[in-house]
Amino acid sequence: MTPGSTLDTARRADQAPLGEGTKFSTSTAGVARMCNYFLGGKDNYAADRDSAERVLRRCPVVLRLVQANRGFLDRAATLLAGAGLRQFVDIGCGLPADDNLGDIVRRTDPSCRVAYVDNDPMVVAHARALLAVDANTTAFAGDVRDTEALLADAGLRRLIDFGEPAAVFLLGVLDFLPDEAGPRRIVDALAAGLAPGSHVVISHAERTAELAPIAGPRPGVDTPFHPRGEDEIADICRSLEMVEPYPARLPQPRAAARGTGPLPLFGCVGRVPGDGRPWPGDGRS
């Protein structure tokens, strides 16, 4: 891993101002910026790097979890674009990295429409500056905990036609929500708000002894980590029809061959039922 360097605040202010009144703290570590550091990015502060290194000392597997999440993004996006989907929404998109969702799906069809959504103002600023560079791409602030408001956002609906099938990605999002935030309710609301034939892609860490040292609230980090059991993860996805071979432990066989085997991480690709048509892909990942 290449450690990140201090965030270029002048570049951020020039390219995508956070906006008057936005509160932004450099003294508290942010999950998105820690993930950026794990991936070798430079968009992070000292607090993020310090917290990330403490996490790795207590739980080294986290680095592979973050990498496996990116690999799953690539595989699931390629699968769905190959199956004919042309509208994509990345909720909790995180800071831009190599091969973002739009880069992946546009290898299949350059006309794909992609929306990036996050509740972190720094993430939204970067996405607007670096990713929303054409009429088929947008980035805006939204919180998945208010799913109905997110799907009703006028800016999102100008780009994404929710009367037609779309693919919604929630990678490394639901395992940062406590039970009281209702992760199952969120997925149910997404399924209810999307057209039949849409797909929801989810990754979620599994609760294991290996991850126990970093689970729950941690001093100096903005968002607690909530891994869950395999049955709980399956229950969160109950309103979706799983596409074979999902749910699956990540990384999947070809990617796992390059590492040291499966991780405490599940990937789910689920279809919103109701249109009576069979899955158009072949189920391979």
Side-chain angles (χ1 to χ4, degrees), residues 111-211:
S111 71
C112 286
R113 287 172 283 167
V114 180
Y116 295 99
V117 185
D118 210 287
N119 66 353
D120 182 326
M122 175 180 159
V123 169
V124 175
H126 275 65
R128 285 174 177 161
L130 302 175
L131 300 177
V133 295
D134 58 47
N136 281 339
T137 315
T138 189
F140 68 97
D143 195 322
V144 74
R145 290 170 292 189
D146 190 352
T147 313
E148 292 81 1
L150 191 158
L151 293 177
D153 184 274
L156 176 62
R157 297 185 76 91
R158 278 193 293 270
L159 181 68
I160 305 296
D161 178 4
F162 287 115
E164 297 294 328
V168 175
F169 284 67
L170 285 168
L171 301 189
V173 172
L174 299 180
D175 40 10
F176 284 94
L177 296 180
D179 291 342
E180 53 266 30
R184 188 176 71 184
R185 174 197 59 79
I186 287 168
V187 176
D188 288 350
L190 281 173
L194 297 172
S198 295
H199 287 71
V200 181
V201 180
I202 295 166
S203 69
H204 198 298
E206 182 184 15
R207 184 173 56 243
T208 63
E210 189 175 22
L211 292 181

Side-chain angles (χ1 to χ4, degrees), residues 44-56:
N44 46 74
Y45 291 104
D48 308 309
R49 297 191 291 277
D50 291 345
S51 289
E53 289 296 342
R54 284 197 298 271
V55 165
L56 291 180

Side-chain angles (χ1 to χ4, degrees), residues 5-248:
S5 60
T6 302
L7 182 69
D8 185 346
T9 53
R11 183 190 68 178
R12 188 187 71 237
D14 291 343
Q15 292 190 345
L18 294 180
E20 185 176 357
T22 297
K23 294 182 179 179
F24 184 79
S25 172
T26 64
S27 60
T28 299
V31 169
R33 299 189 304 272
M34 290 171 65
C35 183
N36 175 264
Y37 177 76
F38 290 139
L39 291 171
K42 66 177 183 177
D43 294 330
N44 46 74
Y45 291 104
D48 308 309
R49 297 191 291 277
D50 291 345
S51 289
E53 289 296 342
R54 284 197 298 271
V55 165
L56 291 180
R57 285 194 293 272
R58 300 185 70 188
C59 193
V61 74
V62 165
L63 183 58
R64 288 190 61 221
L65 290 180
V66 173
Q67 294 167 341
N69 243 333
R70 294 299 297 185
F72 180 50
L73 169 68
D74 192 326
R75 299 178 76 154
T78 300
L79 175 72
L80 295 179
L85 287 168
R86 294 296 179 264
Q87 303 188 111
F88 297 84
V89 183
D90 190 355
I91 300 176
C93 58
L95 287 158
D98 292 338
D99 263 0
N100 300 288
L101 178 60
D103 303 318
I104 297 165
V105 299
R106 286 173 181 148
R107 293 184 194 125
T108 298
D109 186 340
S111 71
C112 286
R113 287 172 283 167
V114 180
Y116 295 99
V117 185
D118 210 287
N119 66 353
D120 182 326
M122 175 180 159
V123 169
V124 175
H126 275 65
R128 285 174 177 161
L130 302 175
L131 300 177
V133 295
D134 58 47
N136 281 339
T137 315
T138 189
F140 68 97
D143 195 322
V144 74
R145 290 170 292 189
D146 190 352
T147 313
E148 292 81 1
L150 191 158
L151 293 177
D153 184 274
L156 176 62
R157 297 185 76 91
R158 278 193 293 270
L159 181 68
I160 305 296
D161 178 4
F162 287 115
E164 297 294 328
V168 175
F169 284 67
L170 285 168
L171 301 189
V173 172
L174 299 180
D175 40 10
F176 284 94
L177 296 180
D179 291 342
E180 53 266 30
R184 188 176 71 184
R185 174 197 59 79
I186 287 168
V187 176
D188 288 350
L190 281 173
L194 297 172
S198 295
H199 287 71
V200 181
V201 180
I202 295 166
S203 69
H204 198 298
E206 182 184 15
R207 184 173 56 243
T208 63
E210 189 175 22
L211 292 181
I214 60 169
R218 300 188 307 283
V221 180
D222 62 357
T223 309
F225 181 45
H226 299 280
R228 292 182 170 91
E230 183 176 355
D231 290 345
E232 293 173 289
I233 296 169
D235 188 56
I236 286 171
C237 302
R238 66 177 183 172
S239 54
L240 303 170
E241 295 177 346
M242 286 294 110
V243 173
E244 290 293 336
Y246 302 102

